[in-house]
């Protein structure tokens, strides 16, 4: 099914392997479903009006791994895959969609370029898992919150 990029949609996901659904706001009907896709909380963002990005976590007994997928809006296939060293939960992107930032379960924050998914920077931001990432209105500051109870502010420009 082809999906119109000009429609306003609501995207819903589950950490269970239920897929990601896109609903047309005007009529309330599901327009597109991306099966076998399970996004983590705060791990789903739209990029470049061409695709959206979803964090994925798969559990193998006591070992957890994660990856990030870029899904094309026009068809339910992945365009880019990123394999970070740990599961990523929250994601955020800058206003011109040139990079994405993700928070890891160890407290690390990662910065990737959108084109190709190359890792640009990684830093230890918190002592426990990152739960939320927000960019300031002018996109110059990154605000992170984590399970360690801390909220921190980072300059994106440096």
């Amino acid at each position: 099914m082809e999906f119109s990029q000009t429609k306003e949609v609501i995207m819903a996901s589950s950490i269970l392997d239920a897929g990601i659904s896109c609903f047309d706001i005007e009529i309330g009907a599901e327009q597109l479903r991306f099966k076998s896709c399970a996004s983590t909380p705060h791990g789903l963002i739209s990029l470049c009006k061409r695709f959206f990005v979803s964090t994925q976590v798969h559990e193998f007994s006591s070992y957890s791994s994660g990856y990030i997928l870029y899904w094309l809006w026009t068809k339910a296939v992945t365009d880019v895959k990123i394999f970070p060293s740990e599961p990523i939960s929250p994601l955020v992107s800058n206003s011109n969609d040139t990079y994405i930032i993700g928070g890891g379960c160890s407290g690390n924050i990662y910065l990737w370029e959108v084109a190709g998914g190359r890792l640009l920077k990684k830093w230890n931001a918190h002592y426990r898992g990152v739960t939320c990432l927000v960019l300031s209105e002018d996109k110059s500051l990154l605000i992170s919150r984590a399970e360690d109870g801390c909220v921190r502010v980072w300059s994106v420009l440096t």
Side-chain angles (χ1 to χ4, degrees), residues 47 53 55 67-68 70 81-94 97-104 108-123 133:
L47 281 181
V53 178
T55 59
Y67 51 95
I68 298 171
Y70 292 26
K81 293 181 182 179
I82 298 174
F83 298 96
S85 58
E86 64 177 309
I88 302 297
S89 186
L91 283 177
V92 67
S93 67
N94 65 331
D97 294 331
T98 54
Y99 60 83
I100 57 174
I101 304 168
N108 290 329
I109 294 179
Y110 299 82
L111 174 73
W112 293 277
E113 68 175 352
V114 168
R118 184 172 59 101
L119 180 64
L120 300 175
K121 185 174 181 174
K122 169 188 164 187
W123 69 96
L133 294 172

Side-chain angles (χ1 to χ4, degrees), residues 43 51 67 75 153:
F51 49 90
Y67 51 95
K75 48 188 171 175
V153 180

Side-chain angles (χ1 to χ4, degrees), residues 9-13 20-23 34 44-46 52-53 73:
V9 297
I10 293 176
M11 295 179 66
S13 178
I20 294 174
S21 295
C22 300
F23 296 91
F34 297 87
L44 185 61
I45 57 174
S46 176
F52 69 93
V53 178
W73 277 109

Side-chain angles (χ1 to χ4, degrees), residues 135-155:
L135 286 168
S136 63
E137 190 172 323
D138 67 357
K139 308 299 185 206
S140 66
L141 300 173
L142 172 71
I143 299 102
S144 62
R145 182 184 72 207
E147 294 171 347
D148 60 10
C150 292
V151 173
R152 297 204 167 121
V153 180
W154 311 91
S155 173

